[in-house]
Amino acid sequence: MKLDPIYTISFLALTLLMIHFFIKRLSGKKGCMTYGYIGLILFCINVFAIFSWVFMYTSTKDLYAITTSGQQYTATVISFTEEQHYDSEDNRYYTMYQPTVEFTTEAGNVIAKELDFSTSGLEVGDTYKVNYNETNDKVITLGFTLVMKLVGSFIFCFIFTLLLVGVVKFSLGHSMESYKAFTSKIGFQFFIPFLMIGFNLLLIYGIFYGNEVPLFVTGLLIFFSVMLGLGTLGYLKMIFTKGEPKMKRVGVNKWAGDWESDGAEEKYYQERYEKEKKCKNKRL
């Protein structure tokens, strides 16, 4: 992707201004470490926010293209390229495969294209459902890959847009109380239900349209789908009857969200927090 110098300079200038006003509003001593640490965090938030918007745009553009143009075909994997990735947690390398597929159009033309994703398991002869537009010679992978791309782009865009809005408000000197209330409401009433429903839809998709699996695996998918559906209904019922969960401190640097109770549970967590705090002070 080619970067326009004007846009790049404008982005860096705005980021520097944001860093300056953000740190200016902070209380306490401000040294080089503060500027470097805060500057790196804000720079990353800005970069990821922009990339999330681009990711969301390309995902919705693909969805629009599928619904308005192109033809659907079953493409067969004829080859693939391998790429090694290092996992620092497991201290080992693992291989990802990017497939090249082939299919025949309605006009009789044989098309070979490399798909725009990688997978950990792949064999020659595997098939994928694709949408092909002869006008722009573009192939879009359908099915689970498209669903994951849409869900991932939405989550990515949602989180970093909220972070960017919060950083801008703080840098401009606005009160953060309304922002905190808004993020709490949209998080508990929209984002969490969206994740639960979205994951359940993925399970349902796997049951009906996924690869062939043993019967007991299908049974497990159905079981988890039903449990998740009941859990989602229970969560929504609590949201509409009791409102948003309240965040409670349950330990040193530990927080948990729950609905208001009769006070016994809150008293238990408060006593537990006080004990952990005393133990920490003794160790110090």
Side-chain angles (χ1 to χ4, degrees):
M1 183 175 63
K2 187 177 180 180
L3 298 177
D4 191 300
I6 296 178
Y7 293 147
T8 303
I9 294 173
S10 300
F11 169 78
L12 293 175
L14 289 173
T15 301
L16 289 174
L17 282 174
M18 185 184 297
I19 294 171
H20 171 73
F21 287 112
F22 189 97
I23 296 178
K24 186 178 179 181
R25 190 177 176 186
L26 293 176
S27 57
K29 187 178 180 180
K30 308 177 184 70
C32 295
M33 289 294 294
T34 302
Y35 275 90
Y37 183 71
I38 298 297
L40 179 62
I41 293 176
L42 297 188
F43 177 80
C44 290
I45 290 175
N46 290 351
V47 170
F48 284 128
I50 291 175
F51 276 105
S52 71
W53 298 338
V54 175
F55 189 26
M56 189 69 190
Y57 170 75
T58 56
S59 300
T60 53
K61 185 179 178 181
D62 286 348
L63 182 62
Y64 176 78
I66 290 170
T67 56
T68 58
S69 62
Q71 296 292 329
Q72 294 187 19
Y73 300 100
T74 299
T76 304
V77 177
I78 58 173
S79 64
F80 49 80
T81 56
E82 299 182 12
E83 187 174 349
Q84 296 286 331
H85 294 272
Y86 179 71
D87 190 339
S88 58
E89 294 184 0
D90 296 337
N91 194 27
R92 66 182 181 88
Y93 287 90
Y94 62 95
T95 305
M96 298 296 291
Y97 305 93
Q98 186 168 5
T100 297
V101 298
E102 184 179 86
F103 57 93
T104 304
T105 66
E106 293 181 344
N109 299 321
V110 178
I111 306 296
K113 288 284 185 181
E114 187 176 59
L115 301 183
D116 60 350
F117 70 93
S118 298
T119 179
S120 58
L122 188 66
E123 294 181 359
V124 173
D126 289 349
T127 58
Y128 290 96
K129 295 288 185 180
V130 298
N131 177 278
Y132 177 64
N133 192 322
E134 294 189 23
T135 304
N136 55 22
D137 193 33
K138 184 175 182 180
V139 172
I140 301 172
T141 310
L142 304 178
F144 186 77
T145 303
L146 179 63
V147 174
M148 286 299 296
K149 185 177 179 181
L150 288 170
V151 173
S153 64
F154 175 81
I155 294 173
F156 195 54
C157 183
F158 180 87
I159 292 175
F160 281 100
T161 299
L162 274 184
L163 283 174
L164 182 60
V165 170
V167 169
V168 171
K169 284 180 67 68
F170 185 85
S171 301
L172 295 178
H174 293 289
S175 172
M176 300 302 292
E177 293 302 320
S178 59
Y179 173 77
K180 292 177 182 178
F182 172 76
T183 53
S184 176
K185 183 178 291 293
I186 199 172
F188 284 118
Q189 297 187 7
F190 172 72
F191 190 62
I192 293 178
F194 171 82
L195 291 180
M196 298 172 74
I197 295 172
F199 188 70
N200 204 2
L201 290 176
L202 290 177
L203 289 176
I204 294 172
Y205 181 89
I207 293 170
F208 291 100
Y209 301 103
N211 297 327
E212 291 187 8
V213 293
L215 187 61
F216 78 93
V217 176
T218 303
L220 286 175
L221 290 175
I222 294 174
F223 172 77
F224 286 122
S225 178
V226 171
M227 290 296 100
L228 185 57
L230 293 175
T232 304
L233 290 175
Y235 179 85
L236 292 175
K237 181 180 178 181
M238 294 294 286
I239 285 289
F240 286 116
T241 56
K242 291 190 175 183
E244 301 171 25
K246 304 298 182 183
M247 299 302 296
K248 301 175 183 178
R249 187 170 228 161
V250 297
V252 178
N253 297 326
K254 296 179 182 178
W255 294 80
D258 202 353
W259 284 272
E260 292 291 348
S261 59
D262 56 2
E265 186 177 1
E266 184 176 357
K267 183 179 179 181
Y268 165 77
Y269 280 128
Q270 185 63 31
E271 292 177 352
R272 180 178 167 183
Y273 167 67
E274 293 296 336
K275 289 180 180 178
E276 290 186 8
K277 189 175 180 181
K278 288 180 180 178
C279 291
K280 184 179 180 181
N281 291 334
K282 288 181 179 180
R283 289 195 297 267
L284 295 176

